[in-house]
Amino acid sequence: MVRMTDDNLERRNTPGCAVSTVIGILIPILYFLSSGPVVWMDKHGWLPSPQIASAFFYPLTWLSRQHIAFEAIILWYLDLWI
């Protein structure tokens, strides 16, 4: 029977924790950044239904209504794509 020491447990959990942290940070950033290309595609008529994109990005819309600073940031970013 193999006994797990504290060192073994720490080494085993570190990569998983690091990957989870990176994913937890990257997913929201990529979600935010993907809104720009979607606005561009909508403006150029490449989206079959703009309502789908609107529903998908509703959390950003909600957040911008709650925080003026975030609204300024997202409007600045989306203006880059228009």
Side-chain angles (χ1 to χ4, degrees), residues 68-81:
I68 294 171
F70 184 75
E71 180 182 26
I73 292 168
I74 195 159
L75 289 176
W76 170 81
Y77 177 69
L78 294 178
D79 281 343
L80 295 174
W81 289 92

Side-chain angles (χ1 to χ4, degrees), residues 1 4 7 9 17 25 29 32 34 44 46-47 53-54 59-60 62-63 68 70 74-75 79 81-82:
M1 182 169 162
M4 298 297 288
D7 291 337
L9 285 173
C17 183
I25 291 171
I29 291 171
F32 173 79
S34 69
H44 290 87
W46 286 23
L47 292 180
S54 179
L60 293 179
W62 179 85
L63 195 57
I68 294 171
F70 184 75
I74 195 159
L75 289 176
D79 281 343
W81 289 92
I82 295 178

